[in-house]
Amino acid sequence: MKKFLEEFKKFISKGNVMDMAVGIIIGGAFTSIVSSLVNDIINPILGLFGGMNFDQLSWNITGDVTLYYGKFITAVVNFLIMALIVFLLVKIMNKAMSRIQKPEEPKVPTTKICPFCQSEIALKATRCPHCTSKLEDNIVP
């Protein structure tokens, strides 16, 4: 049992788990903001065109059975807005990171291929260490 608890402690203290926990908490708070945006701002504006708020749309099938399809429409709109906002945030972050990061310098080759045995050898080598062939200076791929 002690080994299990130590293993669990290692797992919980890893950076990935903590990052995930913070992400879930932030995501929950973000969800309430987007839900408020949709419910309090977008749905009333869309209601101007339909004459009512989507949440109020329903269909009474029988006396006790009512389908609240307006709430489903609201959930779909919430999802689409959330996906759009996350997409825009990721796009902005990627653009910012590409400006911050220095472009990679092209790598200067340090090796060449022996024309006789096709082994990889040092660029400045005059003889191949594998086949002992004498290399000309101008044979650089």
Side-chain angles (χ1 to χ4, degrees), residues 85-139:
I85 290 172
V86 168
F87 171 74
L88 292 174
L89 284 174
V90 169
K91 191 170 176 82
I92 290 168
M93 290 300 294
N94 286 341
K95 192 171 188 177
M97 290 305 290
S98 69
R99 287 185 179 174
I100 292 172
Q101 292 177 345
K102 295 179 184 177
E104 290 185 22
E105 295 179 15
K107 290 187 175 182
V108 178
T110 59
T111 60
K112 62 183 177 182
I113 303 295
C114 173
F116 302 103
C117 69
Q118 300 299 311
S119 298
E120 189 173 359
I121 57 175
L123 190 60
K124 294 183 179 182
T126 57
R127 277 200 185 269
C128 177
H130 304 284
C131 69
T132 67
S133 298
K134 187 171 182 177
L135 305 171
E136 295 178 23
D137 290 338
N138 59 359
I139 303 178

Side-chain angles (χ1 to χ4, degrees), residues 34-114:
V34 172
S35 295
S36 175
L37 173 70
V38 171
N39 292 331
D40 301 332
I41 296 173
I42 293 176
N43 279 345
I45 291 172
L46 292 176
L48 291 174
F49 301 109
M52 63 187 312
N53 194 340
F54 284 132
D55 281 345
Q56 298 169 357
L57 297 175
S58 63
W59 176 36
N60 190 348
I61 297 174
T62 63
D64 292 338
V65 179
T66 303
L67 294 177
Y68 296 99
Y69 65 92
K71 291 183 180 183
F72 175 74
I73 293 172
T74 300
V76 170
V77 170
N78 277 347
F79 171 76
L80 292 175
I81 291 172
M82 177 81 77
L84 176 67
I85 290 172
V86 168
F87 171 74
L88 292 174
L89 284 174
V90 169
K91 191 170 176 82
I92 290 168
M93 290 300 294
N94 286 341
K95 192 171 188 177
M97 290 305 290
S98 69
R99 287 185 179 174
I100 292 172
Q101 292 177 345
K102 295 179 184 177
E104 290 185 22
E105 295 179 15
K107 290 187 175 182
V108 178
T110 59
T111 60
K112 62 183 177 182
I113 303 295
C114 173

Side-chain angles (χ1 to χ4, degrees), residues 6-19:
E6 286 178 24
E7 196 174 331
F8 180 70
K9 183 179 173 185
K10 265 189 211 176
F11 170 77
I12 226 50
S13 64
K14 284 184 180 177
N16 295 344
V17 174
M18 298 307 282
D19 291 344

